[in-house]
């Protein structure tokens, strides 16, 4: 069955550095991959979508890569700020529904 | 414009009671999704609607769970004879169309259900 793994439950990064989050998947070949941000007590908020034929996508300080050979997506936040602290979820398309990973809690330390 | 809204925001109920959770999607969004999120867990897919139709109900945890959508808009998720393991945050999302992950989903704030 389809399986999504996000590299770690929690990640601590010093302010100003680049945070890199990993999303791996198995038994699957998604056509699209999405990243969401979730703050405590709130629903997830869409950040970026990348297609299987796109290697990289950028939006301001965010960058997403999609390696269909490695079955992996990397999510980068450059010049990280304490306000970037949140849980980040990757999501893969799956026959009209989206399958979410468990998320990585990112803490940007001032 | 208004985003996805859900009500109630919090619900505390006694074991064995029925509860009804409501979701108002973004106007014009034809696809609607329900998820459940337990503490420290990821999003568990429950059911989706395209218009008023729910083609895939396999994500519902048990036959105590049901959902409907009327007029292609408001949806209700009903849990009968609630159990303590039903305690979670129930999230609703909508998207423009049903599209195999090519369309972003807009989430509501969720309903926190606590079964005592």
């Amino acid at each position: 069955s389809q399986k999504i793994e996000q590299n770690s439950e929690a990640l601590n990064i010093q302010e100003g550095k680049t945070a890199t989050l990993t999303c791996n998947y198995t038994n699957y070949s998604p056509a699209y991959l999405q990243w969401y941000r979730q703050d405590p007590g709130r629903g997830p908020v869409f950040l970026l979508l990348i297609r299987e034929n796109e290697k990289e996508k950028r939006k301001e300080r965010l960058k997403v890569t999609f390696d269909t050979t490695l079955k992996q997506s990397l999510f980068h936040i450059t010049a990280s700020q304490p306000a970037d602290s949140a849980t980040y979820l990757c999501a893969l398309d799956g026959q009209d529904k989206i399958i979410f990973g468990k998320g990585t809690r990112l803490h940007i330390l001032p | 414009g208004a985003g996805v809204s859900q009500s109630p925001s919090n619900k505390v109920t006694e074991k064995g009671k029925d509860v009804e959770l409501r979701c108002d999607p973004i106007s014009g969004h034809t696809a609607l999704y329900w998820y459940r999120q337990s503490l420290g867990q990821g999003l568990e897919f429950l059911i989706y609607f395209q218009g008023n139709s729910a083609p895939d109900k396999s994500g519902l945890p048990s036959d105590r769970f049901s959902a409907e959508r009327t007029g292609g808009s408001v949806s209700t998720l009903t849990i009968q004879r609630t159990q303590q393991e039903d305690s979670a945050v129930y999230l609703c999302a909508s998207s423009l169309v049903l599209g195999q992950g090519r369309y972003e989903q807009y989430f509501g704030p969720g309903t926190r259900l606590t079964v005592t």
Side-chain angles (χ1 to χ4, degrees):
Chain A
S1 63
Q2 302 150 349
K3 190 175 178 182
I4 303 171
E5 285 186 354
Q6 294 195 239
N7 59 325
S8 57
E9 285 193 17
L11 189 64
N12 294 325
I13 298 293
Q14 202 67 40
E15 181 178 5
K17 301 291 186 184
T18 296
T20 299
L21 284 64
T22 305
C23 176
N24 295 297
Y25 57 93
T26 56
N27 301 327
Y28 200 39
S29 294
Y32 303 89
L33 189 147
Q34 301 182 6
W35 282 89
Y36 288 76
R37 167 181 173 145
Q38 187 174 23
D39 291 284
R42 295 178 176 265
V45 174
F46 172 82
L47 295 175
L48 282 168
L49 180 151
I50 188 165
R51 296 173 173 78
E52 63 178 339
N53 60 353
E54 296 177 314
K55 296 295 184 187
E56 181 179 298
K57 199 106 178 246
R58 291 176 184 260
K59 179 182 176 183
E60 297 174 350
R61 294 184 296 111
L62 309 180
K63 184 178 85 171
V64 171
T65 63
F66 193 6
D67 189 326
T68 55
T69 301
L70 291 178
K71 293 187 179 294
Q72 181 181 81
S73 174
L74 298 179
F75 177 80
H76 306 273
I77 306 175
T78 59
S80 59
Q81 306 166 0
D84 295 327
S85 298
T87 295
Y88 291 86
L89 306 166
C90 72
L92 307 177
D93 75 272
Q95 301 294 318
D96 293 327
K97 64 188 180 189
I98 293 177
I99 303 168
F100 283 85
K102 290 189 176 181
T104 297
R105 287 195 317 276
L106 177 65
H107 302 281
I108 304 300
L109 307 173
Chain B
V4 177
S5 61
Q6 293 185 245
S7 60
S9 54
N10 279 286
K11 177 71 177 179
V12 180
T13 190
E14 291 180 353
K15 178 181 172 181
K17 300 282 189 184
D18 297 352
V19 296
E20 192 172 275
L21 312 180
R22 176 186 167 110
C23 172
D24 279 275
I26 292 173
S27 177
H29 280 193
T30 61
L32 185 147
Y33 309 80
W34 282 98
Y35 297 88
R36 178 168 72 173
Q37 188 172 37
S38 301
L39 189 64
Q41 298 298 309
L43 290 168
E44 176 188 3
F45 169 80
L46 298 178
I47 191 170
Y48 72 84
F49 289 89
Q50 172 61 26
N52 294 332
S53 172
D56 180 6
K57 299 182 181 179
S58 62
L60 294 176
S62 75
D63 57 9
R64 296 185 294 104
F65 287 71
S66 63
E68 65 174 16
R69 189 180 185 194
T70 55
S73 181
V74 172
S75 176
T76 55
L77 177 69
T78 302
I79 309 173
Q80 296 179 310
R81 305 181 302 283
T82 51
Q83 303 294 312
Q84 288 187 331
E85 61 262 27
D86 299 334
S87 297
V89 175
Y90 289 82
L91 288 158
C92 172
S94 70
S95 65
L96 195 59
V97 294
L98 198 64
Q100 297 178 325
R102 74 189 69 184
Y103 298 105
E104 63 199 76
Q105 294 190 356
Y106 294 83
F107 282 82
T111 293
R112 180 175 298 278
L113 175 66
T114 303
V115 182
T116 61

